[in-house]
Amino acid sequence: DRTIRTKGMHMSKLVIDSRTDWTPDLLQRAWDEIAIIAEEELELVPGKDLYPNQFEIVSAEQMLDAYSSVGLPIHYHHWSFGKEFLQNAKQYEKGHMGLAYEMVINSNPCVNLLMEENLAYMQVMVMAHAGVGHNAVFANNEYFKQWTNAGSIIDYMLFARDYITHCEDRYGVKEVEAVLDAAHAISTHAVDKFKRKHQPKMTEEQRLKAMMAEDDRRQRELDIILKTTSLANSEQAPDTEEPDFLQEEEENLVYYIMKRSPNLARWKREILRIVYKVNQYFSPQGPTKTLNEGFATFSHFYIMERLEQKGIITPDAYMAYLQSHAGVIYQPTYRSKHYSGPNPYALGFNILRDVKRICENPTEEDKRWFPKLIGKRWQDAVKEAAFEHRDDSFIQQYLSPKVIRDMHLFTVSINYEKDQDYGHNTAKAIVSEIHDDLGYANIRTALARSKERINYVPQIIVEGADFEGDRTLYLRYDPYMSRELDEDDAQEVLQHLDFLWGYKVDLRA
């Protein structure tokens, strides 16, 4: 039996049954056991492959508050966060929604929020799920490493909150709210696809001073031009850099307006920068949801099984945990009213477990489909799958015929035919791919493509602006698979764009 010695005191072996309640000491001892398995068996070394973990026990109200601010412990003020909190709170009080067992923040240290209502065995599961699984993806996945700096996000959000509070005091809550409303309306178009070239790093205060000094210089040099505008004051000095967008189109609307809006006040420009940076920081979350949740579920499943084998989790607690685990990976059938596509927890978990199986016990089919996995160490293969891909490439490279069969995946084609009697189009659904070699390949490709961002965010391109004339901003919509924009929604968004740009915005399809 393994014992833990703390400050010279002998402690009995840790045992958690289905009715054990948590205490801070028990959770610390449980995490010590989890960390051993993570390091020795999953080969995820704390401090090297994992950020330091910070576990916080929260109430239902605190978890609802975290929902409204996308999990960040610090956020700037906006009415939409309060609205979301009230909506979720009412749904929760009526029993129409449950709360997550945990919430994890991509920061360094990695902040893990655990619900206080969880029994001890559930707290152990969510620590393994978030503190090992999600933490490892945040720290090692190439997409997160490219776009996020986990060590700086909390400090930046502190700056953002204080700056926006300062603007509210100086310019009025309504003025600031209008800018945030408009920025949030186009926040899905505040993400870069490729890294931009940045100047050497400065603190936010240094950068603001440098920006204000540059604006003042341009103000003095461009007095003649400013006389032709109706907003000739240093607080609303135009950004008059050479329009390099003429050589290269821009897809990030918030960034473009922040840089090129002719008469946008400095403080409004900085608020757009905040919205741009926050959305860019969270941009890896969507394209990696399946592999992220899959690896977290794979991690907690492996660790909980090992804890039960080591006698730390009792059989009754393990059975109770398995019931919750089954709910997490439950996949409704396509006929169910709850069906909304493949469950990312189930799909990612099944793919990674299958990768482990192929490495250890491949079939002849596996040898044909995944020759590079045969004989490979499963720890290396699983980490490579989770750390070097986004969902689209993860599915394209690792979804196996076995998982396709086990999850009963198939593709459906929709054909539109004109009804001869009534003269309108009718839709007919046809199963277009079956479970054969060609079908497996096509199903995998179709599912991978469905994870691409273009399926969820319309492709809006900045073509340019007429700076020498009426300063109209020209946008172009590139339809994907012949999809059309909703006219009413498009008009509402264009009103926000007009407000931020300050002149006419023309959207072409």
Side-chain angles (χ1 to χ4, degrees):
D1 288 349
R2 182 175 182 273
T3 59
I4 299 175
R5 296 182 182 276
T6 304
K7 296 182 180 179
M9 297 178 61
H10 183 274
M11 302 183 68
S12 60
K13 178 183 176 182
L14 177 64
V15 178
I16 299 173
D17 64 29
S18 61
R19 292 179 292 181
T20 302
D21 204 354
W22 63 268
T23 64
D25 177 67
L26 182 144
L27 295 186
Q28 178 60 61
R29 295 175 63 192
W31 173 251
D32 292 340
E33 298 289 348
I34 291 170
I36 291 171
I37 298 171
E39 179 173 356
E40 295 180 355
E41 301 182 37
L42 294 177
E43 300 182 359
L44 297 169
V45 181
K48 177 177 176 288
D49 303 305
L50 301 174
Y51 295 132
N53 276 291
Q54 179 177 320
F55 297 103
E56 299 184 6
I57 309 298
V58 299
S59 65
E61 184 175 4
Q62 289 171 318
M63 184 63 83
L64 287 166
D65 189 50
Y67 278 12
S68 66
S69 60
V70 290
L72 289 171
I74 300 170
H75 215 306
Y76 56 79
H77 304 298
H78 189 251
W79 61 267
S80 62
F81 303 143
K83 177 183 177 181
E84 184 169 352
F85 174 85
L86 290 174
Q87 287 176 333
N88 290 334
K90 288 181 179 179
Q91 292 294 313
Y92 177 68
E93 290 171 359
K94 293 177 180 177
H96 294 167
M97 69 172 283
L99 296 181
Y101 299 125
E102 49 75 30
M103 180 175 286
V104 59
I105 301 167
N106 175 22
S107 59
N108 184 9
C110 183
V111 179
N112 303 265
L113 307 181
L114 281 58
M115 286 285 288
E116 64 181 0
E117 288 86 352
N118 295 339
L119 287 171
Y121 73 88
M122 285 301 299
Q123 301 289 40
V124 174
M125 184 197 81
V126 298
M127 285 195 296
H129 182 92
V132 174
H134 283 311
N135 187 332
V137 173
F138 293 153
N140 298 280
N141 181 271
E142 291 298 327
Y143 200 44
F144 280 91
K145 287 166 68 174
Q146 179 184 8
W147 289 109
T148 66
N149 183 349
S152 65
I153 183 61
I154 301 301
D155 288 341
Y156 184 77
M157 292 310 302
L158 181 63
F159 159 78
R161 183 196 65 185
D162 292 346
Y163 183 82
I164 289 179
T165 299
H166 165 74
C167 290
E168 289 175 337
D169 292 340
R170 183 170 181 180
Y171 305 107
V173 172
K174 288 186 177 181
E175 284 290 318
V176 175
E177 188 176 276
V179 177
L180 282 172
D181 286 351
H184 285 186
I186 58 172
S187 60
T188 53
H189 303 280
V191 175
D192 293 329
K193 290 186 177 180
F194 304 100
K195 275 287 186 183
R196 297 181 184 275
K197 293 181 180 179
H198 293 293
Q199 299 296 323
K201 289 185 177 180
M202 298 184 290
T203 66
E204 293 301 325
E205 289 74 16
Q206 289 173 331
R207 187 183 54 74
L208 277 174
K209 288 180 180 179
M211 183 178 68
M212 294 174 71
E214 179 66 10
D215 279 353
D216 289 339
R217 182 186 66 79
R218 289 175 182 161
Q219 175 74 32
R220 292 191 299 270
E221 292 179 355
L222 299 170
D223 282 341
I224 296 176
I225 296 176
L226 287 174
K227 289 177 181 178
T228 66
T229 72
S230 59
L231 299 170
N233 61 71
S234 61
E235 194 62 53
Q236 293 171 310
D239 192 326
T240 56
E241 297 177 9
E242 289 299 317
D244 54 19
F245 61 87
L246 293 177
Q247 286 75 43
E248 185 175 352
E249 294 179 333
E250 176 63 65
E251 297 182 12
N252 189 325
L253 301 188
V254 173
Y255 181 86
Y256 185 89
I257 293 173
M258 176 190 79
K259 282 292 197 181
R260 305 294 184 191
S261 181
N263 295 312
L264 195 64
R266 279 196 296 261
W267 66 271
K268 294 180 181 179
R269 204 182 302 276
E270 187 60 29
I271 288 178
L272 290 188
R273 188 188 303 275
I274 289 170
V275 173
Y276 158 54
K277 284 196 171 186
V278 171
N279 280 273
Q280 188 68 62
Y281 190 83
F282 283 104
S283 64
Q285 302 277 4
T288 62
K289 185 173 179 62
T290 297
L291 69 83
N292 199 343
E293 297 297 356
F295 188 76
T297 306
F298 177 90
S299 298
H300 86 233
F301 184 82
Y302 183 91
I303 290 170
M304 291 296 285
E305 183 176 50
R306 292 291 293 120
L307 289 174
E308 194 270 339
Q309 291 170 355
K310 294 170 76 171
I312 294 171
I313 299 292
T314 63
D316 63 310
Y318 188 69
M319 292 299 293
Y321 140 74
L322 283 177
Q323 184 176 11
S324 298
H325 171 79
V328 169
I329 63 169
Y330 172 66
Q331 176 61 65
T333 67
Y334 74 94
R335 291 188 178 93
S336 170
K337 66 179 181 179
H338 302 293
Y339 179 78
S340 60
N343 176 354
Y345 293 83
L347 181 60
F349 173 65
N350 289 339
I351 290 175
L352 291 174
R353 282 196 74 199
D354 203 50
V355 168
K356 182 175 183 291
R357 177 195 64 79
I358 293 170
C359 291
E360 295 180 314
N361 299 297
T363 64
E364 291 302 316
E365 180 182 59
D366 298 326
K367 293 175 182 178
R368 287 189 292 110
W369 282 79
F370 303 100
K372 292 183 179 180
L373 294 180
I374 307 305
K376 193 168 187 176
R377 297 176 67 252
W378 68 263
Q379 290 92 340
D380 294 334
V382 167
K383 288 193 289 185
E384 181 180 309
F387 299 163
E388 297 185 11
H389 296 275
R390 300 184 310 186
D391 285 347
D392 50 355
S393 60
F394 171 69
I395 292 169
Q396 184 68 61
Q397 294 196 37
Y398 293 99
L399 179 61
S400 70
K402 182 181 184 302
V403 173
I404 291 173
R405 290 191 296 268
D406 291 346
M407 295 189 69
H408 309 292
L409 300 177
F410 57 91
T411 59
V412 174
S413 297
I414 307 296
N415 294 332
Y416 294 92
E417 299 177 356
K418 197 160 190 176
D419 191 295
Q420 298 298 326
D421 296 329
Y422 297 97
H424 57 74
N425 290 335
T426 58
K428 291 186 178 180
I430 300 174
V431 176
S432 56
E433 303 295 347
I434 60 173
H435 290 176
D436 56 18
D437 278 0
L438 181 59
Y440 294 138
N442 291 338
I443 289 169
R444 182 165 68 177
T445 298
L447 183 56
R449 287 179 176 173
S450 73
K451 300 297 181 179
E452 295 174 354
R453 191 170 186 267
I454 190 64
N455 287 284
Y456 310 101
V457 180
Q459 182 91 340
I460 307 294
I461 308 295
V462 178
E463 291 186 319
D466 183 8
F467 282 105
E468 296 182 358
D470 61 4
R471 301 190 178 185
T472 298
L473 175 65
Y474 293 101
L475 308 179
R476 183 183 76 246
Y477 169 57
D478 291 341
Y480 177 68
M481 298 181 67
S482 302
R483 296 172 184 170
E484 297 181 359
L485 292 174
D486 182 278
E487 188 173 342
D488 292 337
D489 286 347
Q491 288 300 323
E492 288 187 23
V493 174
L494 283 173
Q495 291 177 12
H496 290 294
L497 283 167
D498 288 343
F499 170 74
L500 292 174
W501 183 250
Y503 297 91
K504 181 182 177 183
V505 177
D506 182 85
L507 176 61
R508 306 171 182 178

